[in-house]
Amino acid sequence: MTPIGENAASYFVDRHVACAYRDNPAFIESGTGRQICYAELARQTGRMADLYARHGIRREERAAMIVLDCIEFPIVFWGSLKAGVIPIPLNTLLASNVYAAILNDCRARALFVSAELLPVVAPVLDACPHLEKVFVIGGERAGIHLGFHEEIARSQSRDPVSASADECAFWLYSSGSTGQPKGVRHVHGSLKYTADTYGAQVLGIAQDDVVFSAAKLFFAFGLGNGLTFPLSVGATAVLLAGRPTPESVCAVLRQHKPTIFCGVPTLYAAMVAHLESETTSGMPALRRCISAGEALPEQIGTHWRNLTGCDILDGVGSTEMLHIFLSNRPGDVIYGTSGIAVPGYEVRLVDEAGAEVDRGGLGELLVKGGSSASDYWNLRDKSRATFEGEWTRTGDKYQKTQNGRFVYCGRTDDMFKVSGIWVSPFEIEQALLTHPNVLEAAVVAACDAEGLEKPKAFVVLKPGAAGDHLAEELKALVKERIGKWKYPRWVEIVPGLPKTATGKIQRFKLRDARRG
Ligand code: 3UK
């Protein structure tokens, strides 16, 4: 029989209304100082069902979110779950045509968009025939669209719909090796699973914690850190709407004194450089720092610990598993490793034939645990190749050391991470090829001075084409076409590219030039 009454929003939001801390802030916006307490969060999220009903958006239909980290994010996300509508938080840094592709893929009927981001998506809205209602958050006037605040103010609070733990709750998009985003579908029960495992048993989050995740809420990493873990215990999350720079993040750390801080390696690297140039010392309130998205180089962890007195727990998670399943633990940190399986998860390494790999050997990492996604939307072959029954393939190569720790050894495909977010060489190459002077292009990951990977492009010019200013033009072109973080940091013009007999680019040969 299907269990009822397991709507995740009842657990994460409404449950707290009966608690003594009901008037404590659930979310605080850094910068504006706006706050929302638990009781108010329960009321506001309850209004989303009415808002949807008045606009004809029904249960199980999709609502896309292009929303900055602000109080409305949890209202729309949890409110949608209460209504049974499927929220789909999207990366706020994407290019217009990528938004169009995703909105059409998921056939969202509603879109919630921060006023600041409306200009990016507005030009493609006409190309999204399934989209009927656009709710603009913030800004002066919504213009031809609906104003979120007016609409929510006009709505009555309703009780959450009864949902099964196995029922689809929300989707996240993850980019694939062709650059085509995949809709990853998650169920209600997965949210609590990650909170009960990593949140409770690795982070050890408690009601008096203040969490600041510089990793944004649209990213599964940020969603756990900022939206589910604090709400699993009645803690407080600090939200930063702007770009996380060393200056803005340090300002939040000083002002709000979070006890838990979450970031990606690129940010930790930039902050180490920033803090080293400062005379003020320490972050005494910090008790846990976590990193994920890509491997944390050892020297960044050691420097950070020396500067702040707090270790960084490096852990591996994925959009498919929702959060971290392999991690270092408090009191058991070895930099340069991803630690051991998080309680509630099992991991194993297999070779190409599917056989178990012995200690010391290299294999693909497979993971088993109760938070795996149900499938990729409308991609049956990819779903079958990734979700093998209880086991999920990660596409990561790992080695298990003699003392049982896991060491990251790269990907089984050509994908890599920049600032913790996927980049596919193929999609950058496709963007580079749209430049009139470019004949061929190949992109690989190269390491910057911090030991972190960034795209490096090798381009072959068309006969007679000039290479002047090409590097700057290509960087601008990639930023505009596929996403701001994906541009090649280095561009090298070469006479030809290494290829196989069948004409496939041999990217591994180009990778040998490690530094840009
Ligand atoms: C890589 C890492 C080495 C790895 C994520 C925490 O990154 C997250 O999700 P994505 O779907 O990417 C998953 C892939 O990223 N990776 C992540 N963390 C590490 N590689 N060391 C790490 N610590 O290739 C993995 O397969 O974007 C991270 C929580 C939730 C997440 N979704």
Side-chain angles (χ1 to χ4, degrees):
M1 210 182 78
T2 317
I4 52 160
E6 298 192 32
N7 190 317
S10 306
Y11 179 78
F12 285 97
V13 182
D14 287 1
R15 175 173 59 98
H16 303 294
V17 172
C19 299
Y21 53 80
R22 62 194 299 279
D23 297 321
N24 287 2
F27 295 96
I28 299 178
E29 283 183 2
S30 176
T32 67
R34 282 205 303 156
Q35 305 194 352
I36 187 164
C37 70
Y38 275 94
E40 186 60 19
L41 183 67
R43 259 193 302 277
Q44 296 273 338
T45 48
R47 292 178 170 186
M48 286 293 293
D50 194 39
L51 178 147
Y52 280 129
R54 289 192 299 106
H55 288 282
I57 315 285
R58 294 190 309 224
R59 186 167 184 177
E60 288 167 37
E61 292 180 335
R62 272 81 64 194
M65 299 172 59
I66 308 176
V67 180
L68 299 173
D69 281 19
C70 59
I71 282 170
E72 288 78 7
F73 194 114
I75 295 175
V76 174
F77 183 86
W78 292 114
S80 300
L81 261 66
K82 281 190 173 182
V85 173
I86 314 290
I88 309 180
L90 301 179
N91 185 334
T92 53
L93 298 171
L94 297 176
S96 308
N97 60 326
V98 184
Y99 285 127
I102 294 178
L103 290 167
N104 285 323
D105 182 64
C106 69
R107 298 195 282 265
R109 291 195 65 219
L111 168 67
F112 296 85
V113 56
S114 292
E116 296 88 331
L117 301 170
L118 184 60
V120 183
V121 71
V124 295
L125 292 177
D126 281 347
C128 302
H130 304 284
L131 197 59
E132 289 181 18
K133 306 278 174 166
V134 176
F135 298 88
V136 180
I137 297 170
E140 298 283 292
R141 294 182 48 219
I144 55 167
H145 306 300
L146 297 156
F148 175 70
H149 286 275
E150 292 141 43
E151 292 303 321
I152 200 102
R154 224 174 267 164
S155 307
Q156 306 289 316
S157 206
R158 295 190 185 185
D159 285 338
V161 299
S162 171
S164 134
D166 291 344
E167 171 164 352
C168 184
F170 64 101
W171 305 5
L172 296 170
Y173 269 85
S174 176
S175 38
S177 51
T178 58
Q180 236 16 275
K182 305 186 291 266
V184 180
R185 305 204 297 164
H186 278 289
V187 299
H188 278 258
S190 290
L191 290 160
K192 186 166 183 298
Y193 197 88
T194 58
D196 290 347
T197 54
Y198 182 82
Q201 300 178 60
V202 176
L203 268 188
I205 191 165
Q207 201 239 308
D208 58 359
D209 273 312
V210 176
V211 182
F212 172 45
S213 176
K216 299 292 181 191
L217 299 174
F218 64 71
F219 186 27
F221 181 42
L223 191 129
N225 304 335
L227 217 54
T228 50
F229 302 160
L231 267 54
S232 70
V233 290
T236 299
V238 178
L239 302 177
L240 172 68
R243 216 164 64 85
T245 61
E247 292 77 17
S248 65
V249 170
C250 283
V252 175
L253 295 178
R254 300 235 154 81
Q255 189 190 344
H256 297 279
K257 302 192 172 43
T259 54
I260 299 179
F261 174 65
C262 321
V264 294
T266 315
L267 177 65
Y268 280 109
M271 289 186 66
V272 162
H274 179 80
L275 291 172
E276 274 174 341
S277 69
E278 282 198 346
T279 45
T280 47
S281 65
M283 304 273 178
L286 272 187
R287 66 173 194 90
R288 289 266 184 283
C289 294
I290 67 169
S291 170
E294 59 186 310
L296 179 78
E298 181 176 350
Q299 75 273 17
I300 299 175
T302 324
H303 272 154
W304 178 267
R305 185 183 52 210
N306 293 342
L307 287 162
T308 66
C310 196
D311 263 317
I312 304 175
L313 307 181
D314 183 13
V316 190
S318 71
T319 310
E320 287 78 357
M321 293 307 293
L322 191 54
H323 212 271
I324 294 173
F325 49 83
L326 183 63
S327 184
N328 286 278
R329 310 254 206 120
D332 179 29
V333 173
I334 298 189
Y335 290 120
T337 81
S338 306
I340 58 170
V342 167
Y345 295 87
E346 284 174 53
V347 293
R348 63 192 177 103
L349 299 182
V350 298
D351 65 17
E352 275 162 23
E356 214 75 23
V357 169
D358 298 331
R359 277 196 183 196
L362 190 73
E364 185 182 347
L365 182 76
L366 269 58
V367 52
K368 173 176 156 183
S371 60
S372 74
S374 50
D375 66 349
Y376 297 122
W377 167 251
N378 283 0
L379 293 167
R380 192 161 75 135
D381 286 349
K382 285 214 165 88
S383 299
R384 287 180 166 185
T386 302
F387 305 104
E388 296 183 336
E390 292 183 309
W391 292 90
T392 299
R393 296 195 89 97
T394 63
D396 294 319
K397 284 187 279 194
Y398 264 88
Q399 212 166 7
K400 192 172 179 182
T401 62
Q402 289 309 325
N403 51 10
R405 297 182 90 86
F406 287 85
V407 178
Y408 180 72
C409 300
R411 294 281 306 167
T412 60
D413 53 25
D414 286 321
M415 301 284 284
F416 58 97
K417 292 298 201 75
V418 175
S419 305
I421 309 180
W422 281 128
V423 166
S424 138
F426 181 76
E427 63 170 334
I428 303 180
E429 290 159 8
Q430 297 308 301
L432 293 171
L433 289 172
T434 65
H435 189 285
N437 293 1
V438 173
L439 177 69
E440 286 184 305
V443 170
V444 297
C447 282
D448 67 9
E450 265 84 37
L452 294 166
E453 294 190 321
K454 301 282 181 298
K456 173 170 179 171
F458 294 86
V459 296
V460 181
L461 296 182
K462 285 186 184 161
D468 312 342
H469 313 297
L470 188 70
E472 291 318 307
E473 284 173 28
L474 291 177
K475 289 177 187 182
L477 185 142
V478 172
K479 282 190 200 176
E480 189 210 303
R481 286 194 159 248
I482 55 173
K484 295 193 178 67
W485 72 97
K486 297 181 181 174
Y487 74 94
R489 307 310 196 264
W490 308 275
V491 177
E492 198 172 313
I493 299 175
V494 289
L497 297 173
K499 301 225 182 96
T500 62
T502 55
K504 236 177 152 241
I505 298 172
Q506 293 169 305
R507 294 196 187 89
F508 68 92
K509 289 200 173 158
L510 297 166
R511 245 177 252 145
D512 292 343
R514 287 304 289 180
R515 286 277 297 266

